[in-house]
Amino acid sequence: MRLIKKLTSVLMAVVLATGLTACGSNDGGSSSEPGSASNSSSEEKTYHIGICQLMEHEALDSATKGFQDALKEKLGEGNVEFDLQNAQGESTNCSTICNGFVTDNVDLIMANATGALQAAVSATNSIPILGTSVTDYATALNLSNWEGHTGTNVSGTSDLAPIDQQEDMILEILPDVKTVGIAYCSSEPNSSYQADLMKKALDEDNIAYKEYTAADSNEIQSVITTACDECDALYVPTDNTMASSVETIKNVVVPAGVPLFAGEAGLCVAGIATLSISYYDIGYTTGEMAYEILVNGKDAGTMDIQTAPNVTKQYNKEICETLNITIPNGYEELTIE
C-alpha cells in the first residue's frame, strides 16, 4: 500500500512538472519566434517627422513632396506621420516650429531651405536633421575645413546647380554681353555664395559685372530697376526672397527689355533661361537618406551632402519671343504654371 501511494505521488509530480514546463515553453517561445508580438510591434513602429518649410514656393513645395513620397514608399503610409509647418518666410517662425518639434521629441527634422536649417540646428544637437533646398551647407552652418559632411547631427541635399555652367549659358545666348548685373537678397548667405562664384566665372571670361542687393522684398523693385538701367543682362541666383517676388521682378525686367538668367526654374518666370534641377528629386533623395537614418541607423554627420543628379537647360518661350531672343539648340521649353 505504501508502494502504491509512493508511485502515485511520483506520477502526480511528473504531471505537474510537465504542465509547468509546457506553460513556460509557450510564453518564452512566443517572444522569441519571428513574427511574435514584440517583433511585430517593432516592424509597425510609426515614425514622427517634423518638416519646417521656410515659405510657400513651387520649388520648396516640390522638395517637400519628394521627401514625403520617398518615406511613404519605403516605410509604408501607415508607418510615418508628418507634421508639416510653413514659416511664411519668417526666421522667428522657423525657430518656434523647430523648438516645437524638439518638445514633441520627433524622430527626425526635415528643414526645407537655409533659414529652416539654421533654426533646426539651433533647436537641437541630438535629433537627426536633414536639410534640402540648401545651396551650401558650409556657408549656412559656418563650417570650416569642409569635407562634404558636417560631423554633427546634420546632413541633406543641396540645390546648387553648377555656376560655371550657368555663366556659360549667359555667354552662349548673349555672346556680346557687356555687363551682367548680379542681384540677390543680402540676408541670404547662400545667395552671396552663389554671387561670388558667378563673379569668379565672369572674371575668367573678362566680362564686367555689377552687384545689387536687396535687404528684403520691399527693396526688390527699386534694386531691379536700378540694375536694369545699368546692365544689359541680369543674373539672379537661387534665392528665396527673390523667388517670392518673382512677379515683381518680371514686371520690371520685361518692360525694360533686359534679359534675366535665373538660378532655378521658379525664378525663370521672370527670366529667359535657367539651368534647372528637379526639386522633387532632391527632396526624394532626402527622404531616402531619412530612411537610412531611421531604419538602418546611419549617422547623419557622416553622410555626405547630396546634389541633384541631373541639370537641364530650359528657356522661357514667352519672354524670349517678347525680347526677340533666339535660343540655341539643346534647351527645353520651360512649363509655366
PDB file of all heavy atoms in Angstrom, residues 108-130:
ATOM      1  N   LEU A 108      12.881  62.749 -36.404  1.00  0.00           N
ATOM      2  CA  LEU A 108      13.776  63.413 -37.350  1.00  0.00           C
ATOM      3  C   LEU A 108      13.146  64.735 -37.773  1.00  0.00           C
ATOM      4  O   LEU A 108      11.913  64.839 -37.837  1.00  0.00           O
ATOM      5  CB  LEU A 108      14.026  62.515 -38.569  1.00  0.00           C
ATOM      6  CG  LEU A 108      14.970  63.004 -39.662  1.00  0.00           C
ATOM      7  CD1 LEU A 108      15.827  61.829 -40.196  1.00  0.00           C
ATOM      8  CD2 LEU A 108      14.202  63.633 -40.826  1.00  0.00           C
ATOM      9  N   ILE A 109      13.981  65.725 -38.059  1.00  0.00           N
ATOM     10  CA  ILE A 109      13.507  67.020 -38.571  1.00  0.00           C
ATOM     11  C   ILE A 109      13.998  67.198 -39.992  1.00  0.00           C
ATOM     12  O   ILE A 109      15.189  67.026 -40.272  1.00  0.00           O
ATOM     13  CB  ILE A 109      14.008  68.190 -37.700  1.00  0.00           C
ATOM     14  CG1 ILE A 109      13.443  68.099 -36.282  1.00  0.00           C
ATOM     15  CG2 ILE A 109      13.629  69.539 -38.325  1.00  0.00           C
ATOM     16  CD1 ILE A 109      14.012  69.128 -35.320  1.00  0.00           C
ATOM     17  N   MET A 110      13.086  67.509 -40.901  1.00  0.00           N
ATOM     18  CA  MET A 110      13.470  67.896 -42.257  1.00  0.00           C
ATOM     19  C   MET A 110      13.331  69.400 -42.359  1.00  0.00           C
ATOM     20  O   MET A 110      12.256  69.952 -42.127  1.00  0.00           O
ATOM     21  CB  MET A 110      12.616  67.201 -43.310  1.00  0.00           C
ATOM     22  CG  MET A 110      13.211  67.295 -44.730  1.00  0.00           C
ATOM     23  SD  MET A 110      12.847  68.858 -45.568  1.00  0.00           S
ATOM     24  CE  MET A 110      11.420  68.407 -46.529  1.00  0.00           C
ATOM     25  N   ALA A 111      14.414  70.091 -42.692  1.00  0.00           N
ATOM     26  CA  ALA A 111      14.428  71.547 -42.782  1.00  0.00           C
ATOM     27  C   ALA A 111      14.541  71.946 -44.244  1.00  0.00           C
ATOM     28  O   ALA A 111      15.551  71.670 -44.890  1.00  0.00           O
ATOM     29  CB  ALA A 111      15.604  72.116 -41.988  1.00  0.00           C
ATOM     30  N   ASN A 112      13.502  72.577 -44.756  1.00  0.00           N
ATOM     31  CA  ASN A 112      13.426  72.916 -46.175  1.00  0.00           C
ATOM     32  C   ASN A 112      13.798  74.381 -46.376  1.00  0.00           C
ATOM     33  O   ASN A 112      13.017  75.270 -46.103  1.00  0.00           O
ATOM     34  CB  ASN A 112      12.012  72.629 -46.698  1.00  0.00           C
ATOM     35  CG  ASN A 112      11.931  72.644 -48.209  1.00  0.00           C
ATOM     36  OD1 ASN A 112      12.826  73.123 -48.881  1.00  0.00           O
ATOM     37  ND2 ASN A 112      10.846  72.111 -48.748  1.00  0.00           N
ATOM     38  N   ALA A 113      15.007  74.628 -46.823  1.00  0.00           N
ATOM     39  CA  ALA A 113      15.624  75.929 -47.092  1.00  0.00           C
ATOM     40  C   ALA A 113      16.546  76.327 -45.933  1.00  0.00           C
ATOM     41  O   ALA A 113      16.451  75.803 -44.817  1.00  0.00           O
ATOM     42  CB  ALA A 113      14.604  77.022 -47.376  1.00  0.00           C
ATOM     43  N   THR A 114      17.435  77.249 -46.232  1.00  0.00           N
ATOM     44  CA  THR A 114      18.523  77.578 -45.318  1.00  0.00           C
ATOM     45  C   THR A 114      18.036  78.099 -43.970  1.00  0.00           C
ATOM     46  O   THR A 114      18.526  77.674 -42.913  1.00  0.00           O
ATOM     47  CB  THR A 114      19.463  78.607 -45.967  1.00  0.00           C
ATOM     48  OG1 THR A 114      19.976  78.062 -47.186  1.00  0.00           O
ATOM     49  CG2 THR A 114      20.612  78.957 -45.050  1.00  0.00           C
ATOM     50  N   GLY A 115      17.074  79.024 -43.970  1.00  0.00           N
ATOM     51  CA  GLY A 115      16.581  79.574 -42.719  1.00  0.00           C
ATOM     52  C   GLY A 115      16.002  78.506 -41.810  1.00  0.00           C
ATOM     53  O   GLY A 115      16.194  78.526 -40.583  1.00  0.00           O
ATOM     54  N   ALA A 116      15.307  77.556 -42.407  1.00  0.00           N
ATOM     55  CA  ALA A 116      14.740  76.451 -41.632  1.00  0.00           C
ATOM     56  C   ALA A 116      15.847  75.568 -41.066  1.00  0.00           C
ATOM     57  O   ALA A 116      15.782  75.108 -39.918  1.00  0.00           O
ATOM     58  CB  ALA A 116      13.795  75.633 -42.501  1.00  0.00           C
ATOM     59  N   LEU A 117      16.881  75.322 -41.865  1.00  0.00           N
ATOM     60  CA  LEU A 117      18.003  74.501 -41.404  1.00  0.00           C
ATOM     61  C   LEU A 117      18.711  75.156 -40.223  1.00  0.00           C
ATOM     62  O   LEU A 117      19.009  74.493 -39.218  1.00  0.00           O
ATOM     63  CB  LEU A 117      18.989  74.276 -42.547  1.00  0.00           C
ATOM     64  CG  LEU A 117      20.246  73.488 -42.187  1.00  0.00           C
ATOM     65  CD1 LEU A 117      19.899  72.040 -41.867  1.00  0.00           C
ATOM     66  CD2 LEU A 117      21.272  73.551 -43.317  1.00  0.00           C
ATOM     67  N   GLN A 118      18.979  76.443 -40.328  1.00  0.00           N
ATOM     68  CA  GLN A 118      19.669  77.142 -39.247  1.00  0.00           C
ATOM     69  C   GLN A 118      18.855  77.119 -37.956  1.00  0.00           C
ATOM     70  O   GLN A 118      19.401  76.952 -36.866  1.00  0.00           O
ATOM     71  CB  GLN A 118      19.978  78.573 -39.678  1.00  0.00           C
ATOM     72  CG  GLN A 118      21.017  78.652 -40.794  1.00  0.00           C
ATOM     73  CD  GLN A 118      21.143  80.031 -41.415  1.00  0.00           C
ATOM     74  OE1 GLN A 118      20.173  80.795 -41.447  1.00  0.00           O
ATOM     75  NE2 GLN A 118      22.316  80.363 -41.929  1.00  0.00           N
ATOM     76  N   ALA A 119      17.541  77.249 -38.075  1.00  0.00           N
ATOM     77  CA  ALA A 119      16.674  77.196 -36.890  1.00  0.00           C
ATOM     78  C   ALA A 119      16.679  75.804 -36.270  1.00  0.00           C
ATOM     79  O   ALA A 119      16.708  75.660 -35.043  1.00  0.00           O
ATOM     80  CB  ALA A 119      15.253  77.603 -37.262  1.00  0.00           C
ATOM     81  N   ALA A 120      16.662  74.780 -37.102  1.00  0.00           N
ATOM     82  CA  ALA A 120      16.669  73.410 -36.594  1.00  0.00           C
ATOM     83  C   ALA A 120      17.976  73.109 -35.857  1.00  0.00           C
ATOM     84  O   ALA A 120      17.971  72.486 -34.796  1.00  0.00           O
ATOM     85  CB  ALA A 120      16.472  72.423 -37.744  1.00  0.00           C
ATOM     86  N   VAL A 121      19.089  73.573 -36.411  1.00  0.00           N
ATOM     87  CA  VAL A 121      20.391  73.348 -35.782  1.00  0.00           C
ATOM     88  C   VAL A 121      20.463  74.056 -34.428  1.00  0.00           C
ATOM     89  O   VAL A 121      21.040  73.534 -33.465  1.00  0.00           O
ATOM     90  CB  VAL A 121      21.525  73.824 -36.711  1.00  0.00           C
ATOM     91  CG1 VAL A 121      22.858  73.848 -35.991  1.00  0.00           C
ATOM     92  CG2 VAL A 121      21.603  72.924 -37.938  1.00  0.00           C
ATOM     93  N   SER A 122      19.866  75.232 -34.343  1.00  0.00           N
ATOM     94  CA  SER A 122      19.839  75.960 -33.067  1.00  0.00           C
ATOM     95  C   SER A 122      18.951  75.270 -32.038  1.00  0.00           C
ATOM     96  O   SER A 122      19.171  75.403 -30.832  1.00  0.00           O
ATOM     97  CB  SER A 122      19.337  77.389 -33.284  1.00  0.00           C
ATOM     98  OG  SER A 122      20.238  78.124 -34.088  1.00  0.00           O
ATOM     99  N   ALA A 123      17.967  74.523 -32.525  1.00  0.00           N
ATOM    100  CA  ALA A 123      16.990  73.906 -31.627  1.00  0.00           C
ATOM    101  C   ALA A 123      17.480  72.606 -31.007  1.00  0.00           C
ATOM    102  O   ALA A 123      17.098  72.266 -29.888  1.00  0.00           O
ATOM    103  CB  ALA A 123      15.680  73.664 -32.362  1.00  0.00           C
ATOM    104  N   THR A 124      18.314  71.838 -31.731  1.00  0.00           N
ATOM    105  CA  THR A 124      18.733  70.533 -31.219  1.00  0.00           C
ATOM    106  C   THR A 124      20.068  70.097 -31.796  1.00  0.00           C
ATOM    107  O   THR A 124      20.360  70.365 -32.969  1.00  0.00           O
ATOM    108  CB  THR A 124      17.681  69.450 -31.522  1.00  0.00           C
ATOM    109  OG1 THR A 124      18.130  68.184 -31.025  1.00  0.00           O
ATOM    110  CG2 THR A 124      17.409  69.326 -33.012  1.00  0.00           C
ATOM    111  N   ASN A 125      20.858  69.419 -30.964  1.00  0.00           N
ATOM    112  CA  ASN A 125      22.091  68.805 -31.450  1.00  0.00           C
ATOM    113  C   ASN A 125      22.044  67.290 -31.302  1.00  0.00           C
ATOM    114  O   ASN A 125      23.074  66.616 -31.413  1.00  0.00           O
ATOM    115  CB  ASN A 125      23.315  69.358 -30.711  1.00  0.00           C
ATOM    116  CG  ASN A 125      23.258  69.107 -29.211  1.00  0.00           C
ATOM    117  OD1 ASN A 125      22.352  68.425 -28.722  1.00  0.00           O
ATOM    118  ND2 ASN A 125      24.204  69.662 -28.482  1.00  0.00           N
ATOM    119  N   SER A 126      20.850  66.763 -31.060  1.00  0.00           N
ATOM    120  CA  SER A 126      20.708  65.319 -30.886  1.00  0.00           C
ATOM    121  C   SER A 126      19.732  64.687 -31.872  1.00  0.00           C
ATOM    122  O   SER A 126      19.997  63.600 -32.396  1.00  0.00           O
ATOM    123  CB  SER A 126      20.275  65.000 -29.446  1.00  0.00           C
ATOM    124  OG  SER A 126      19.069  65.662 -29.123  1.00  0.00           O
ATOM    125  N   ILE A 127      18.612  65.321 -32.133  1.00  0.00           N
ATOM    126  CA  ILE A 127      17.661  64.787 -33.110  1.00  0.00           C
ATOM    127  C   ILE A 127      18.267  64.920 -34.509  1.00  0.00           C
ATOM    128  O   ILE A 127      18.771  65.986 -34.871  1.00  0.00           O
ATOM    129  CB  ILE A 127      16.323  65.540 -33.044  1.00  0.00           C
ATOM    130  CG1 ILE A 127      15.656  65.326 -31.687  1.00  0.00           C
ATOM    131  CG2 ILE A 127      15.375  65.091 -34.165  1.00  0.00           C
ATOM    132  CD1 ILE A 127      14.397  66.143 -31.476  1.00  0.00           C
ATOM    133  N   PRO A 128      18.237  63.865 -35.331  1.00  0.00           N
ATOM    134  CA  PRO A 128      18.788  63.971 -36.690  1.00  0.00           C
ATOM    135  C   PRO A 128      18.058  65.039 -37.503  1.00  0.00           C
ATOM    136  O   PRO A 128      16.830  65.145 -37.451  1.00  0.00           O
ATOM    137  CB  PRO A 128      18.541  62.580 -37.282  1.00  0.00           C
ATOM    138  CG  PRO A 128      18.385  61.680 -36.110  1.00  0.00           C
ATOM    139  CD  PRO A 128      17.745  62.502 -35.032  1.00  0.00           C
ATOM    140  N   ILE A 129      18.844  65.826 -38.246  1.00  0.00           N
ATOM    141  CA  ILE A 129      18.298  66.896 -39.094  1.00  0.00           C
ATOM    142  C   ILE A 129      18.765  66.661 -40.518  1.00  0.00           C
ATOM    143  O   ILE A 129      19.952  66.439 -40.765  1.00  0.00           O
ATOM    144  CB  ILE A 129      18.786  68.277 -38.626  1.00  0.00           C
ATOM    145  CG1 ILE A 129      18.323  68.583 -37.201  1.00  0.00           C
ATOM    146  CG2 ILE A 129      18.306  69.373 -39.584  1.00  0.00           C
ATOM    147  CD1 ILE A 129      19.007  69.799 -36.589  1.00  0.00           C
ATOM    148  N   LEU A 130      17.830  66.720 -41.457  1.00  0.00           N
ATOM    149  CA  LEU A 130      18.168  66.672 -42.873  1.00  0.00           C
ATOM    150  C   LEU A 130      17.663  67.944 -43.535  1.00  0.00           C
ATOM    151  O   LEU A 130      16.489  68.293 -43.406  1.00  0.00           O
ATOM    152  CB  LEU A 130      17.538  65.445 -43.547  1.00  0.00           C
ATOM    153  CG  LEU A 130      18.145  64.091 -43.176  1.00  0.00           C
ATOM    154  CD1 LEU A 130      17.375  62.972 -43.853  1.00  0.00           C
ATOM    155  CD2 LEU A 130      19.623  64.021 -43.553  1.00  0.00           C
TER     156      LEU A 130
END
